[in-house]
Amino acid sequence: MSKKNFIQVFEYQKLKYDENSDFKKNHFDAMVLFNEKNQNKYFTIVHKGVLFNSYVGVIQIGSLTIEILPKADKSDNPDKGTWQNALLNMLKVCKHIQVDNVSETNLNKKYNSILEVYFEMYLNEIESLVKKGLIKKYRRVQSNQNALKGKLVFSQNIQKNVVHKERFYCEHQVYDKDHLIHQILFRGLLVLEDLLNNHLKDKLNRLLFEFQDYQQLNINKSHFNKLNTDRKTRPYLKSIDIAKMLILNYSPNLNSGNDNMLTLLFDMNKLWEEYIYRILQKHKPEGYQISFQNKEDFWETKTIRPDIVITSNTGEIFVIDTKWKIVEANKPADDDLKQMFTYNLHWKAEKSMLLYPKVNQEDSKFGEYHYNDLKKKCKLGFVSVLNGSKVREGRILSQDIFDKLVVKN
């Protein structure tokens, strides 16, 4: 992927095809069609362009890659490499990058886009499987035979062998490598063949040669639902996870032209929520339990669901509601206060906190609700995603959040 065909933008930024030579009308048309097929949730169509919203990630259209980065920064010229690393770290912590051997060193490697991380991981995983030896599995096939093998398929035998009475249309088992798992991996490689044009192309071609004799299926979600995991197939799980992402997010010739499209988009609000939960879960102090997206009945069929509930061994309960946006206020908004009060009551929590990314804001103090002298409290909290130009350590971030909850004010 060359810099010429690579555009980086930030959430809530516009991209217009009459202002950027790499983003052309055909790319815009493909994005409009894709957005319409997905209830227009990923971005807003504006005059000669798109306005991105809370979804971050990557859109690849033909040879053009558009990377949408998160931003909790007031700078007019934020460092794109820094925020790309922040996004990569969040995806890894939230296990959207489903490979355990992605080390901090690998994540710090300079990638043009986060898609390249997935592409390289996929090729490395398959290369490892090929070196170990691809497994054989039993599968059922139907075909015409010169001798009866397995069971006779009467309807097909009558239809196909009216003239050739010496043949038998049978269903039988074969034990080979041309089974569904390898057909899925093969399809993932073929997707990359339409998208790759960089240093990984040679490795891709070598792997395609290994799979050239396997059946090409039009893989969809139902094929993944048929897979069963056992001792033999467990080493394939990582590559299958990435293949699923590649295949199900791929749209060939979306606008009836030559532009194949691959999208990998994440709602930043949900990603931030899960990121904070996983950081707290991993680095919680002794004596605390963390639960995620608890749900309780609220009214008739309606439920309420706070993002994170923290319970201590001494019986203290805290509720956190995460919000990925920059706010200037030092007090909670009225609607937020009412929502958090409901959480306080339903979960019997003494304290609740609205947690935002920090730019230069300061936490508010805990304010007390005036209701039946229950002494329920709520505050605004802000945490930094970055430490200078580097991603902040999870251990330090977790301690910062706990300090905000247990502080005696």
Side-chain angles (χ1 to χ4, degrees), residues 108-119:
N108 289 333
K109 179 181 176 181
K110 188 61 180 176
Y111 290 98
N112 277 343
S113 86
I114 63 172
L115 266 185
E116 282 193 7
V117 181
Y118 286 89
F119 293 167

Side-chain angles (χ1 to χ4, degrees), residues 10 70-73 78-87 324 386:
F10 287 100
K71 177 177 176 287
D73 189 340
D79 185 74
K80 292 175 179 176
T82 298
W83 284 107
Q84 185 191 62
N85 286 338
L87 177 57
W324 179 261
L386 304 174

Side-chain angles (χ1 to χ4, degrees), residues 180-285:
L180 181 58
I181 291 177
H182 292 154
Q183 291 159 4
I184 286 174
L185 298 186
F186 186 24
R187 180 58 187 154
L189 292 173
L190 292 173
V191 168
L192 291 193
E193 187 178 33
D194 290 336
L195 299 170
L196 272 181
N197 187 23
N198 59 11
H199 65 284
L200 298 174
K201 192 76 173 180
D202 288 341
K203 181 182 287 190
L204 171 63
N205 288 334
R206 291 197 301 271
L207 292 174
L208 282 170
F209 178 79
E210 296 286 343
F211 285 78
Q212 63 180 334
D213 296 327
Y214 296 167
Q215 183 180 356
Q216 292 190 34
L217 293 185
N218 186 18
I219 303 294
N220 55 46
K221 189 175 181 180
S222 66
H223 291 95
F224 290 96
N225 294 335
K226 295 176 183 177
L227 296 179
N228 294 314
T229 303
D230 56 27
R231 179 184 56 82
K232 288 180 65 176
T233 60
R234 198 165 291 119
Y236 282 75
L237 291 180
K238 297 172 185 177
S239 57
I240 290 172
D241 280 340
I242 304 175
K244 185 175 182 179
M245 180 276 292
L246 292 173
I247 295 167
L248 298 187
N249 289 285
Y250 176 67
S251 303
N253 296 326
L254 189 69
N255 62 344
S256 300
N258 296 317
D259 294 326
N260 301 302
M261 190 169 184
L262 180 66
T263 56
L264 185 64
L265 298 171
F266 306 92
D267 187 335
M268 196 59 211
N269 292 298
K270 293 181 179 178
L271 188 62
W272 173 242
E273 174 187 323
E274 185 179 355
Y275 177 67
I276 294 297
Y277 161 70
R278 290 189 180 274
I279 290 290
L280 292 175
Q281 179 69 14
K282 183 176 181 180
H283 301 284
K284 64 187 177 186

Side-chain angles (χ1 to χ4, degrees), residues 288 316 318 351 366 379 399 401-409:
Y288 287 89
E316 289 182 294
F318 309 97
K351 295 177 179 177
F366 275 109
K379 70 180 288 186
Q399 186 60 55
I401 295 171
F402 271 96
D403 287 345
K404 295 175 186 298
L405 287 170
V406 301
V407 66
K408 302 299 181 181
N409 66 2

Side-chain angles (χ1 to χ4, degrees), residues 380-394:
L380 289 185
F382 301 92
V383 289
S384 298
V385 181
L386 304 174
N387 181 15
S389 61
K390 295 184 177 180
V391 177
R392 199 173 180 202
E393 286 185 39

